[in-house]
Amino acid sequence: MAQKSIAVLTSGGDAPGMNAAFRAVVRTGINKGMKVFGIYRGFNGLLKGEIEEMNLRSVSEIIGNGGTKLYTARSEEFKKKEAQERAAEFCRSKGISGVVVIGGDGSFRGARALTRAGVNCIGVPGTIDNDIACSEYTVGYDTAMNTALQMVDRIRDTAQSHDRCSIVEVMGRHCGDIALQTGIATGATAILVPEVEYNIERDVITRILNTQKTGKKHFIIVVAEGVGGVNDLAKYIEQRLGIEARATILGHVQRGGSPTVRDRVVASQMGYRAVELLSQDIGNRVVCMRDGKITDLDITEALDMPRVFDTELYKIAMTISI
Ligand code: F6P
């Protein structure tokens, strides 16, 4: 029987732990007797034929590195059917029967399209946002939260010294998970997320005033990217309450850095699972974490799932951050 060949790519925004997933795919594939190719720069690289065969040492010394050694891109071109068919044809010409796609929702749409064009694909959730509905966890989320935590702790030091209010915007696109977790962990007086309707008077001003009455003189407000408007909020707080306020947008610092233990381990488990599926000629699946266990789901089913925000955790945050 001919030796099976598979490939792996990273796509969309990079996330700490993508290298660990890439490493797991390469090593699992080789251990199962397969040839494993790395595709550089996501689906764009696939269209340009930017591939290279990997060996066990190609993925040495990368498990602790942030970013993605495979580089990444968001591909507009790959949304076109003609491009998808061209990519499938290219895979066939190289004998590649399956591709592991490490990325977010948009990347999984690309994976589904490539599967439909005849090349089995498996999605592995890699994004700091934790916004993949079918999975309780996405690779990169833990590191990003911990980076945001460290940054807000530092901002707190200076806010405290000046009796100021610091408003910090964290990433997450339309998802408030990084904001909620960071807000709880830093004792933020208010947390604004896109999933929960908010009113600035009730959810920020009144909370600051109530906390002030208990003697507190500095305040942290964590705002999710999907809510935004931190500069305007800082101005409003200054005018409305006469407290000095400063806004910080943490930005891409949250995307970098050495992945945490959790990101490295989950990425390794997910990469392994993806190759197990491809070795059985199974495609069109997303590897996910459900009830703390690694499993997999049909891509369409996964993409159609509604995201559930942890309102109970939000309630806890609002109760104890006073
Ligand atoms: O999806 C990851 C993410 O960092 C989001 O949190 C953010 O909205 C977006 O990517 C930023 O994208 P870019 O890297 O294109 O600026």
Side-chain angles (χ1 to χ4, degrees), residues 113-157:
L114 191 56
T115 306
R116 283 177 181 158
V119 180
N120 277 338
C121 288
I122 305 292
V124 168
T127 164
I128 64 163
D129 300 337
N130 203 39
D131 61 348
I132 310 275
C134 69
S135 186
E136 291 154 7
Y137 191 80
T138 61
V139 171
Y141 176 50
D142 192 55
T143 308
M145 278 190 297
N146 279 290
T147 302
L149 173 82
Q150 281 174 26
M151 297 299 126
V152 179
D153 280 348
R154 287 167 188 225
I155 290 170
R156 173 183 295 284
D157 290 344

Side-chain angles (χ1 to χ4, degrees), residues 13-14 74 127-129 131 171-173 225 252 255:
D14 63 346
R74 294 191 173 99
T127 164
I128 64 163
D129 300 337
D131 61 348
M171 272 189 171
R173 208 180 286 270
E225 177 185 16
H252 290 81
R255 285 250 293 267

